[in-house]
Amino acid sequence: MANTTKLGGSLATGAFASFRLAPLANLAASVSLRRSLRRPPAALCASSDDDRFTVLVADELGEAGLDILRDFAEVDHAVDLAPEELCARIGGCDALIVGSEMKVSGDVFGSSRGRLKVVGIAGGGIDNVNLAAANENRCLVVNAPNASGSAVAEHAIALLTAMARNIVQAAVSVKSGNWQRKKYVGMSLSGKTLAVLGFVEVGFDVAQRAKGLGMHVIAYDPYASGHLARAIGVELVTFDKAIANADFISLHMHFTPATQKMLNDETFAKMKKGVQILNVTHGGLIDEDALVRALDSGIVSRAAVDVLIEEPPPKDNKLVQHEKVIVTPNLGDGTFEAQEQLSIEIAEAVIEALKGDLPSTVVNEPMVAAEVLAELKPFLDLAINLGRFAVKLIAGRGGFKAVKVTYASAREPDQLDTKLLRAAVIKGLIEPISSVIVNWVNGDSVAKQRGLRITEERVTLPGSPEYPLEFLQVQIASVESRFDSALSTSGEIEVGGQVRDGLPFLTKVGNFEVDVRLEGCILLCRAIDQPGLIGKIGSVLGEANVNIGFMNATRTAVDSENLESMISIKVDDQPTKETLKKIGEIAAIREFVFLVV
């Protein structure tokens, strides 16, 4: 008989008999994760002759940060290094600090021969560092995401006022010998509505400053704190209401697949005629060709951007050359004060890591005992993919606030600490909708910052404790689903899975059993069970040249006379919208969903 244990105050729900249990092969011997995670990290050993660390600073860095580093370590400050020069120097360094443009490749980590322990990125990005190579070489990577927020918010307000009052165009006109007061009559900000899309960090600061200008501020952010919004007099609204009611729109969303080109022909058509668009966050949030069309048609009257999809832009970029657009060259964090604060933040993070502590800005997976990771890795992959799958089932742009994670294991509680597994679920839930990197150090704090409440429960199963988990389940409460069949009897999105032969499998969706590898392109169809149905689906995919890697169907009785099938299909390529439409038009199919995990 299975026993259910509450973890973190969760409610018990009993065992889940619908999961088939399967052994795993070729995993490392069982170890106590709890004991390993509670062991305090030892300070790293300096490698230089005088017992001081050596830090290579390979980019411009503020003097305040350099002074902090020099008090702690030997500092080699060399900018504009070619890749081969960086590789040549890195073997004598314990830490490396780079800007957002210098690439830290796998060759750099290899050239360090295991000495490099910390890479610091002087900025909020991470794209220039090979995180997989850092993990393989047991090297921490830290960044400085909090230093420039105020500077970016100030630049946003500067562009907002310049855009509203035609300041740039008027100044250029005067310098050209003209004096055209009537041509450059602007718009007052006081009393106008500003929609802030993304109400955390910079977006929150912009909202505060706009309130000081007398603007009415509304905000869209599915993970924003209602308490903070009320505290400064900001109204949280839906995405459609925000863009439909705004005189000005300021973008502060993280760049993710879900927000890529979120302002496009379709969304511009929903806006108030004459709206003005501001973007200091990421060029990829706007379809630039669509913005040019909206400017030409008058839907958008003016725009101001500090970021572009291609930087620097080609000389014939239509958006840059448009007379109604202000463009600045990524000046958001370009103040002396922001650069000094950034240098301090990254210096302190690197020193903290060299001392053997784990900074809160670690962006890769910190050093957990190798044997622990060897055993848990397939289960961590399962947890991440279940989180990704579950969050992609949420309909629209709505957020979620409550998630329940259920672990089924034959191990005793003190033999399985769920911290890593919980962080992996959070990683899967958060990273598809945010630019933040989640790891086991910051997972809980990232969830808390977004108002996400994670509850856990443990189902203790009879059997051998040889393997950490028999199954894992994720439930998301109080959300709408793109796929009604994913809803449990109590109305939550519910998915579950297990590891087989070291690979993650999806085994439960809502109240339905399924059986499909939980990775890549997955098509789920709920249909009336009838002859020829699978053949019809296969024919549609075949005609579109989409190869089926795996297909499985499970039957469920609707009543005494009718059966339904849940068909799970793994395909090699993503079908077109037209192909998916044809699948939906098959008479027996009641609903379907296509997701990429």
Side-chain angles (χ1 to χ4, degrees):
M1 185 71 178
N3 296 321
T4 302
T5 305
K6 298 178 183 179
L7 300 176
S10 65
L11 298 176
T13 59
F16 296 87
S18 62
F19 285 84
R20 295 184 296 276
L21 308 182
L24 303 176
N26 302 320
L27 290 180
S30 173
V31 295
S32 171
L33 176 59
R34 183 184 303 276
R35 183 170 62 253
S36 172
L37 293 182
R38 286 182 175 176
R39 186 186 305 125
L44 302 173
C45 296
S47 303
S48 56
D49 294 337
D50 60 356
D51 292 329
R52 279 166 63 86
F53 294 102
T54 297
V55 179
L56 173 59
V57 179
D59 205 338
E60 299 292 349
L61 195 69
E63 283 299 321
L66 289 171
D67 289 342
I68 291 172
L69 290 168
R70 289 176 181 133
D71 287 342
F72 177 79
E74 297 298 323
V75 176
D76 180 7
H77 191 190
V79 300
D80 298 326
L81 294 175
E84 57 273 15
E85 292 176 305
L86 178 60
C87 289
R89 285 176 181 255
I90 202 65
C93 301
D94 303 288
L96 168 66
I97 295 178
V98 298
S100 58
E101 296 183 2
M102 174 171 278
K103 301 295 183 183
V104 184
S105 65
D107 291 340
V108 174
F109 290 103
S111 298
S112 76
R113 297 184 296 276
R115 178 168 173 176
L116 186 63
K117 303 301 180 187
V118 189
V119 173
I121 307 170
I126 60 170
D127 294 342
N128 56 317
V129 176
N130 187 327
L131 295 183
N135 290 340
E136 291 173 6
N137 288 272
R138 314 292 284 169
C139 180
L140 291 180
V141 181
V142 297
N143 66 351
N146 305 313
S148 59
S150 293
V152 176
E154 288 176 0
H155 191 58
I157 294 298
L159 287 178
L160 179 68
T161 53
M163 176 174 61
R165 299 299 299 271
N166 294 310
I167 289 173
V168 174
Q169 293 89 338
V172 170
S173 175
V174 172
K175 286 179 180 291
S176 299
N178 300 310
W179 192 264
Q180 300 171 294
R181 293 185 69 237
K182 292 183 179 180
K183 181 177 180 179
Y184 295 112
V185 172
M187 178 185 290
S188 294
L189 296 177
S190 179
K192 299 302 188 297
T193 297
L194 170 67
V196 175
L197 306 184
F199 190 65
V200 292
E201 301 155 351
V202 176
F204 179 84
D205 288 347
V206 168
Q208 279 189 305
R209 288 165 169 77
K211 291 291 293 184
L213 295 172
M215 301 188 78
H216 171 58
V217 182
I218 58 178
Y220 163 74
D221 191 320
Y223 314 104
S225 165
H227 172 72
L228 288 177
R230 289 189 295 271
I232 64 171
V234 171
E235 180 187 3
L236 293 178
V237 298
T238 64
F239 177 80
D240 285 345
K241 184 174 180 180
I243 64 174
N245 289 278
D247 301 299
F248 299 84
I249 295 174
S250 187
L251 292 173
H252 303 283
M253 303 293 288
H254 293 296
F255 181 71
T256 71
T259 60
Q260 184 175 14
K261 295 187 178 179
M262 63 187 297
L263 296 194
N264 49 46
D265 287 315
E266 181 182 352
T267 50
F268 283 129
K270 297 178 181 179
M271 296 177 188
K272 183 188 295 186
K273 187 175 178 62
V275 67
Q276 300 187 32
I277 306 293
L278 170 65
N279 185 16
V280 296
T281 302
H282 198 293
L285 298 175
I286 298 177
D287 182 333
E288 293 177 358
D289 292 335
L291 177 54
V292 170
R293 289 190 288 271
L295 286 160
D296 290 341
S297 69
I299 293 176
V300 176
S301 61
R302 300 178 185 90
V305 297
D306 187 48
V307 285
L308 295 163
I309 293 175
E310 182 181 353
E311 296 178 355
K315 292 183 179 180
D316 60 351
N317 184 297
K318 291 183 180 180
L319 182 63
V320 173
Q321 298 301 327
H322 203 288
E323 62 177 355
K324 297 179 181 178
V325 178
I326 300 171
V327 182
T328 52
N330 219 328
L331 296 179
D333 61 355
T335 68
F336 294 111
E337 294 83 357
Q339 294 303 306
E340 284 295 282
Q341 183 57 42
L342 184 150
S343 73
I344 293 170
E345 185 175 326
I346 196 61
E348 291 178 341
V350 167
I351 290 171
E352 188 178 358
L354 287 174
K355 286 180 176 179
D357 297 324
L358 287 172
S360 61
T361 56
V362 170
V363 297
N364 64 333
E365 295 300 335
M367 290 173 282
V368 179
E371 64 270 22
V372 173
L373 288 180
E375 181 184 46
L376 279 185
K377 186 180 186 309
F379 300 95
L380 296 174
D381 292 342
L382 171 65
I384 292 169
N385 287 357
L386 271 181
R388 287 176 181 164
F389 191 82
V391 79
K392 290 184 177 182
L393 286 169
I394 297 175
R397 299 180 184 270
F400 57 99
K401 297 297 182 184
V403 175
K404 179 180 174 182
V405 185
T406 302
Y407 315 93
S409 175
R411 290 188 176 179
E412 295 299 321
D414 63 351
Q415 293 181 323
L416 180 65
D417 192 314
T418 61
K419 182 178 178 64
L420 279 179
L421 293 164
R422 181 174 69 250
V425 172
I426 295 171
K427 183 181 184 74
L429 292 168
I430 295 295
E431 286 189 358
I433 56 174
S434 170
S435 63
V436 69
I437 300 298
V438 178
N439 53 54
W440 74 263
V441 174
N442 67 5
D444 290 337
S445 62
V446 167
K448 185 177 181 179
Q449 289 168 4
R450 283 156 178 75
L452 181 58
R453 184 172 60 90
I454 306 289
T455 58
E456 299 174 283
E457 78 171 20
R458 169 82 172 267
V459 177
T460 303
L461 298 173
S464 170
E466 182 180 359
Y467 308 113
L469 284 181
E470 297 292 356
F471 70 79
L472 183 69
Q473 181 169 288
V474 176
Q475 293 174 311
I476 303 179
S478 304
V479 292
E480 295 181 13
S481 176
R482 295 171 55 191
F483 188 56
D484 287 345
S485 301
L487 297 175
S488 66
T489 304
S490 53
E492 299 97 354
I493 287 178
E494 182 177 298
V495 295
Q498 62 182 180
V499 172
R500 298 179 191 161
D501 298 325
L503 299 172
F505 275 77
L506 181 68
T507 56
K508 191 170 190 288
V509 175
N511 295 319
F512 293 88
E513 289 189 38
V514 297
D515 187 2
V516 65
R517 278 269 297 279
L518 187 54
E519 59 184 19
C521 301
I522 298 174
L523 176 65
L524 296 178
C525 303
R526 180 171 65 90
I528 300 170
D529 191 65
Q530 59 182 227
L533 173 60
I534 291 177
K536 292 177 182 178
I537 298 173
S539 294
V540 171
L541 293 172
E543 290 171 2
N545 202 31
V546 176
N547 190 52
I548 297 174
F550 177 86
M551 180 181 287
N552 177 266
T554 56
R555 287 178 170 179
T556 301
V558 178
D559 50 46
S560 59
E561 297 182 357
N562 296 298
L563 290 174
E564 282 186 344
S565 288
M566 179 63 72
I567 303 168
S568 50
I569 306 169
K570 191 174 185 307
V571 295
D572 293 345
D573 304 294
Q574 183 167 339
T576 64
K577 291 182 180 179
E578 292 74 16
T579 300
L580 292 174
K581 182 180 178 182
K582 289 180 181 179
I583 290 175
E585 290 172 349
I586 296 173
I589 291 182
R590 293 187 169 178
E591 65 168 341
F592 75 95
V593 66
F594 174 79
L595 298 173
V596 180
V597 182

